[in-house]
Each structure stands twice: as C-alpha cells, then as structure tokens.
Amino acid sequence: MAAANPSPISSSIPRPTPLHLTPPQSSPSFSPKTLPKPSYPHRTSLSHSTLSHAHHSSFTAHSQNPISSFFSSSKQHPDGRSIDYDDDEKPREECGVVGIYGDPEASRLCYLALHALQHRGQEGAGIVCVHDNVLQSITGVGLVSEVFNQSKLDQLPGDLAIGHVRYSTAGQSMLKNVQPFVAGYRFGSVGVAHNGNLVNYGALRAMLEENGSIFNTSSDTEVVLHLIAISKARPFLLRIVDACEQLQGAYSMVFVTQDKLVAVRDPHGFRPLVMGRRSNGSVVFASETCALDLIEATYEREVFPGEVVVVDKDGVQSLCLMAHPEPKQCIFEHIYFSLPNSVVFGRSVYESRRVFGEILATEAPVECDVVIAVPDSGVVAALGYAAKAGVPFQQGLIRSHYVGRTFIEPSQKIRDFGVKLKLSPVRAVLEGKRVVVVDDSIVRGTTSSKIVRLLKEAGAKEVHMRIASPPIIGSCYYGVDTPSSEELISNRMKVEEIREFIGCDSLAFLPFDSLQGMLGTQAPNFCYACFTGNYPVEPREDKVKRVGDFKDDGMTGNFDSIDGAWIPANRIHKQERDKEFEGSVL
C-alpha cells in the first residue's frame, strides 16, 4: 500500500502526552501498547494573498566573511589526468536510517528501503540483523547495490533489522566508519544507526577517553554506544534515555538489541524519522516515507521530537525522552534533501517545492520564452514557476544518471569538464530563447557559473536564474555537509555581485519572509540557521569542512583557475575577519 499523504499544509501532528521518568533504577511508565494513528485536520489551500510579500531587500545577502586561499584536494591519476568529480556543490544530507521489527524477511526489506534512501548517502551502506539472539552485521563502502547481493542477504536471517546509508561529515570515508555500529557490553549487544550530527561530540569523546574508553572509529555515533555502556540506569531503555540526555545536536537513531527495536529523535527534531506498518503487522522506521512506499508499509506518523519508541513482543511503547523545546526541523529537507514523493514533517515535499516556484514567479517575474530546471532537484519548483508565469516548461538540461565519481580527462583540457559530464544542454530548447533556469540553491556559485556558461554556449539569448531557497550564509552543524561560511558565496557577496560572478542576466532568491509565510503557523517549527546564522543549539566545535577540504565539481587546481575567480580580500583585513570568524565558531 502506498503511504497515506496528509495535506501538505496540515497542522502539526499531536504529540503523545509527556510521561515523567521514574528514577533510573525503576521501570519506566509506558503509554498504551499501540499508539493511536493521528488525525490530520483539513486546512484550506494556500493563497498568495496571505503570504508576506518581501521587498527587493529580501533578495539581498550581505557579505560577512572574506575568502581565503583555496587548495584542491583532488587526487591525481598516475598519468596526471584523473579528475575526482564531486557530484555537485550542493549541501549533502549525511545519512538515512531504517529499522524493521517482526518480518521474516527483515534484511531484504531493509535492503530495499535503503535503496529508496540512497539519495541521502552514497559512500557506504550496512545492515544489522538479529538471528538466534545474535547481532549479525554486513557493511561496505559504496552504493547499496554494490555492498549487498543475494549471498550476503542470505547471511542475514531474522525478523529484526536496522540499516544505514551514509555520506559523512563527522568521520572520514572508510569502512570502519560505515554504520550500523555493533558493540557488546556486560548486558548484551546493541547496534545503532544514526542520522544527524552531535555538536558536543569532541567534549563527550574527550570525557570518555579520559575515563578509559577506547574508540575504534572517528564517527560521532560511537560516543552513543559508550554512553549506553557506562550508564548505571536500568533497564536498557533508560540507558538510551540516559545517553541521549547528554547529547547536543541532531540525532534520529534506530537501535537494535537481541529482542527490541528502538527509535529515538532529538528534542528539536532536526532530522526526520517516520513510523509505518506493513500488512503483516511488522513495524518500520525510516528517514523518509518513500522508503515505506517501496516496501508496502503504511505511513502512521512521525517519531516526535524528544520521543523514544520501543518495539518488542509486547507491542509498541512510547516514552518522552525529556522536556523538549520548540521543534526546529530542517527546512532543507523540503528544499533539497528529501525525495519529492516523500511526506516530511507532515508536509508533502512535492507541494512545498511547487509553491516555492510559484512564489518566485510572483515575486521575481521576468520576460521569458521557456522555463527549465537544473535536474533533478530544481524540477518541481520549475514546474511551479512555469505554471504560475504561464510559460512552457521544457527539459533544457538532460542529466546523466550513469556518471561515477572519478574520470580520466583527456590531455587536451575540456572547459567545465565535470558539469558537461553530468548535464547536457538541449540546443533545440535553448537556441535564441530567453530562459529562466530554476535551481534549489546556490552554495559556492561555481556550478551555477558553469551552468550559465553551458546554456549560453548552447544558444540561449538570455539566462535568468531563479533560486528556490533564500541565500545560504551559514554552515550547518546538525547533520548536513556544508562548506565553511567563508566559502558560501552569499555570505561574501550581495545578490548583484553573485549575478555578475555567475554571469546570468538576472538572479533572484526565494524571499525568506515568503518562505515563512508559506509555512504559516508551522514556520516557528523549522530551523533556518543556514539562512539567518541563528543556531537553535549553539555549535561548540568547528565541524564543517574548512577551506581547502572541498572538492570542486570537475575542476582541478585551486579556485584561482576558475574563470572569474574569487574576489581577493585585502590581506590584513582578511586576517582580522578570519580571526573574528574563528572566534564566533569556536
């Protein structure tokens, strides 16, 4: 059965009644064994007259940090012509998680669900399954289809499993950092898969190492297992609660023991986690509803911020993790990360993106002949823009889905090699036309400049960029891989300067006020730190990629080799501003 999609503008799902924890040595009080399916009150359709219309100043991003020197991290082939092609310059979601209880084909269903979540991480995948009270694990580097085959899935029998796909920020890309992690301690074994990022990871790890803990990985998730192991609380559920009360930041996690599946979401609810059920009664947790759809599980509800959900032979039980503040759900799930067919935070991702495009057409109109998208993430917003503007939408850029990460470039250097491998312009659509191109975001601006150049070389008369998000001025510390703030072009340049840099004829971003107006009464429940620099949980450690750690999308050498290059900052002024930036982050 397909997931039941609530209204994209439905109100927040009612939370379960908070339950007070008894002292750690006592058994916790649970809510009724099976949680009721929440209702979704009907809301009227959006009307643009209710939106907060922004003035032109809403399209302005103020420069805050100068740019530093950049160094390429691309690895060269022995012949000197290899290029390490990073998929795009987009922010990347770190991980996707899944958990299944009570299905005899748990590992195979987990494998399929991970396929549906592959867009959330492509560096590694793993599954842990429970058979005869033993946790069996298979992990590997690469895509889900590269890690698992029939013989490996045959090694994972049992009706209880968790799985994980990863794209790392915390922890380097190596096999030992691929989740789920499994650890044995004095009361048994536990496995964990984590989506998010802990902002106090360094302090927790230092404390644990000071007390004798030994770490096998560089992942922040490992501290959770250590905290569970040293907890004095009873039973296992309260060990998880005890551990989570020490965590700060974003975490949507699934745990597995010999007989239990446990799902936990941080008190702010930064990262999504949903619950569903298959027709045979098995319970499924996943990062997105698209995973439920593939394995024919019916969407029931979200795991609420600050909630612990336990599934075992006694049914489904819920416990309030701790007093939780106002939710701060990641707005980028709707802008970029999640698949359009998913329902995230109670809203249809497709409908959100379509309305983003409509708002752009209303607030940043331009005379044009055709609307195109930067595939795939810009497609739905482009459809919304085209429909609202009354201009035809066409496929002006064709995306290749068969591109790997590393290529051998010919000795005669090809301009914009990486972008040309991934995107091919359709001259019949573009030639002689005034083109509006819709993309979901601009991060460093390098890819956008190459796309504009590609379109004009294909004959476009004018290229007008419309971005279905506000300008990104801050790094994310809650489970999204973003560059440091000094690399974010909107943090250094105003909109007109960005337009000149990428070479388009006009440029407009989704106004922040209009984004909040579209969200209506739910607007306070979202995190906008990447747009405002206001962090719900203050970052204590510099987790984001620093200058020089990035891989450009198809360019070798440093940024000075890019046409247009970065605007050099005054050396003394740059050093002063760098010190200010370091002081504000650390």
Side-chain angles (χ1 to χ4, degrees):
M1 290 181 292
N5 289 357
S7 168
I9 50 175
S10 61
S11 59
S12 300
I13 304 172
R15 294 188 181 83
T17 303
L19 299 175
H20 298 289
L21 292 178
T22 52
Q25 287 74 22
S26 307
S27 298
S29 298
F30 292 110
S31 63
K33 300 296 183 183
T34 302
L35 293 171
K37 189 172 181 178
S39 61
Y40 298 90
H42 178 71
R43 294 272 301 275
T44 55
S45 299
L46 284 172
S47 170
H48 284 291
S49 63
T50 64
L51 296 177
S52 299
H53 290 278
H55 300 289
H56 290 291
S57 59
S58 299
F59 294 94
T60 303
H62 296 287
S63 177
Q64 292 182 6
N65 287 325
I67 197 67
S68 302
S69 301
F70 287 79
F71 302 91
S72 172
S73 59
S74 300
K75 296 181 180 179
Q76 295 295 323
H77 190 270
D79 65 4
R81 293 184 289 110
S82 176
I83 180 169
D84 196 355
Y85 173 62
D86 204 1
D87 181 39
D88 286 306
E89 65 163 12
K90 302 294 185 186
R92 287 176 177 80
E93 173 61 70
E94 280 190 44
C95 306
V97 301
V98 62
I100 299 174
Y101 180 94
D103 198 293
E105 291 194 299
S107 64
R108 281 171 171 76
L109 293 173
C110 203
Y111 163 78
L112 292 173
L114 292 178
H115 264 297
L117 298 174
Q118 187 74 85
H119 60 286
R120 299 184 76 89
Q122 300 87 44
E123 290 191 352
I127 295 175
V128 171
C129 203
V130 181
H131 181 61
D132 291 337
N133 292 325
V134 176
L135 275 61
Q136 299 171 313
S137 173
I138 292 179
T139 59
V141 175
L143 301 176
V144 175
S145 59
E146 296 169 342
V147 174
F148 295 100
N149 53 35
Q150 184 67 45
S151 64
K152 287 186 177 179
L153 291 174
D154 288 341
Q155 300 171 37
L156 296 172
D159 64 356
L160 174 55
I162 61 173
H164 189 269
V165 289
R166 82 186 295 266
Y167 179 93
S168 67
T169 39
Q172 299 172 356
S173 302
M174 56 184 71
L175 181 58
K176 68 181 183 179
N177 282 320
V178 178
Q179 298 181 35
F181 293 154
V182 177
Y185 70 116
R186 54 182 172 158
F187 294 110
S189 298
V190 58
V192 61
H194 170 211
N195 176 27
N197 190 76
L198 306 179
V199 300
N200 63 335
Y201 160 66
L204 289 174
R205 177 162 178 158
M207 179 268 292
L208 290 164
E209 288 179 329
E210 182 73 20
N211 293 324
S213 294
I214 298 173
F215 283 79
N216 294 317
T217 75
S218 59
S219 171
D220 58 347
T221 309
E222 192 178 0
V223 302
V224 181
L225 293 174
H226 283 278
L227 292 173
I228 290 173
I230 66 173
S231 173
K232 306 298 183 186
R234 303 287 188 278
F236 174 74
L237 173 59
L238 288 183
R239 286 176 171 270
I240 292 180
V241 173
D242 187 33
C244 289
E245 286 179 335
Q246 301 175 63
L247 306 179
Q248 295 178 17
Y251 53 90
S252 287
M253 296 185 284
V254 287
F255 295 88
V256 65
T257 66
Q258 287 90 336
D259 61 350
K260 288 180 175 60
L261 175 63
V262 182
V264 185
R265 197 164 167 217
D266 71 80
H268 285 90
F270 286 109
R271 312 254 60 87
L273 189 61
V274 297
M275 174 181 166
R277 205 180 294 262
R278 302 191 76 230
S279 58
N280 62 359
S282 58
V283 177
V284 182
F285 296 101
S287 293
E288 290 183 39
T289 59
C290 62
L292 305 183
D293 295 340
L294 181 58
I295 62 175
E296 297 184 323
T298 303
Y299 169 58
E300 290 198 349
R301 67 175 182 88
E302 290 186 297
V303 174
F304 302 105
E307 184 185 14
V308 182
V309 182
V310 184
V311 188
D312 58 16
K313 60 182 177 57
D314 295 323
V316 179
Q317 306 167 356
S318 173
L319 182 69
C320 183
L321 176 64
M322 62 185 76
H324 45 78
E326 192 173 52
K328 292 297 176 184
Q329 302 158 148
C330 177
I331 188 60
F332 244 89
E333 293 286 349
H334 279 263
I335 290 171
Y336 176 69
F337 299 135
S338 298
L339 287 185
N341 57 311
S342 285
V343 175
V344 176
F345 308 137
R347 288 176 170 268
S348 164
V349 175
Y350 185 98
E351 285 302 306
S352 291
R353 292 179 187 171
R354 182 184 62 79
V355 175
F356 293 161
E358 290 183 354
I359 295 172
L360 281 171
T362 301
E363 305 208 15
V366 67
E367 291 292 327
C368 63
D369 304 307
V370 65
V371 177
I372 70 170
V374 177
D376 294 315
S377 55
V379 170
V380 180
L383 287 169
Y385 187 103
K388 191 69 175 178
V391 177
F393 168 83
Q394 296 193 45
Q395 275 191 289
L397 287 169
I398 307 298
R399 180 185 178 99
S400 171
H401 293 275
Y402 308 102
V403 178
R405 282 188 170 269
T406 304
F407 310 93
I408 298 177
E409 188 178 7
S411 56
Q412 184 68 38
K413 186 171 179 63
I414 297 177
R415 188 183 191 185
D416 303 336
F417 180 56
V419 169
K420 287 178 178 176
L421 278 169
K422 201 63 175 276
L423 299 174
S424 302
V426 181
R427 185 173 289 273
V429 172
L430 303 169
E431 195 164 22
K433 303 285 182 62
R434 298 168 298 177
V435 180
V436 165
V437 54
V438 181
D439 202 356
D440 60 271
S441 60
I442 294 181
V443 182
R444 296 187 183 94
T446 55
T447 296
S448 298
S449 66
K450 296 168 194 175
I451 289 172
V452 170
R453 189 156 54 214
L454 203 63
L455 296 174
K456 291 198 171 184
E457 288 174 353
K461 182 180 178 181
E462 297 175 6
V463 176
H464 302 275
M465 291 287 293
R466 294 296 179 266
I467 308 303
S469 69
I472 301 173
I473 66 168
S475 300
C476 179
Y477 293 84
Y478 310 129
V480 178
D481 182 34
T482 51
S484 60
S485 294
E486 49 199 346
E487 294 179 66
L488 299 172
I489 193 169
S490 292
N491 193 45
R492 302 178 296 103
M493 297 182 184
K494 296 181 179 180
V495 171
E496 176 58 22
E497 294 172 322
I498 299 172
R499 186 201 65 76
E500 292 178 0
F501 176 79
I502 66 179
C504 60
D505 294 278
S506 72
L507 169 66
F509 292 84
L510 180 70
F512 181 70
D513 289 346
S514 296
L515 170 62
Q516 290 190 307
M518 186 273 283
L519 296 171
T521 58
Q522 293 185 20
N525 296 341
F526 284 86
C527 174
Y528 310 102
C530 54
F531 305 138
T532 66
N534 298 323
Y535 293 93
V537 178
E538 196 63 33
R540 297 184 177 184
E541 300 155 6
D542 189 10
K543 179 259 352 165
V544 296
K545 289 187 176 182
R546 301 300 299 159
V547 175
D549 291 339
F550 75 96
K551 300 172 185 174
D552 185 32
D553 53 354
M555 299 291 293
T556 54
N558 61 30
F559 259 36
D560 291 336
S561 66
I562 298 175
D563 292 346
W566 294 102
I567 299 174
N570 176 278
R571 183 176 299 276
I572 297 175
H573 179 63
K574 183 188 80 65
Q575 290 172 347
E576 292 174 351
R577 296 294 294 274
D578 282 351
K579 288 179 181 178
E580 290 179 11
F581 173 74
E582 293 294 338
S584 66
V585 171
L586 297 177

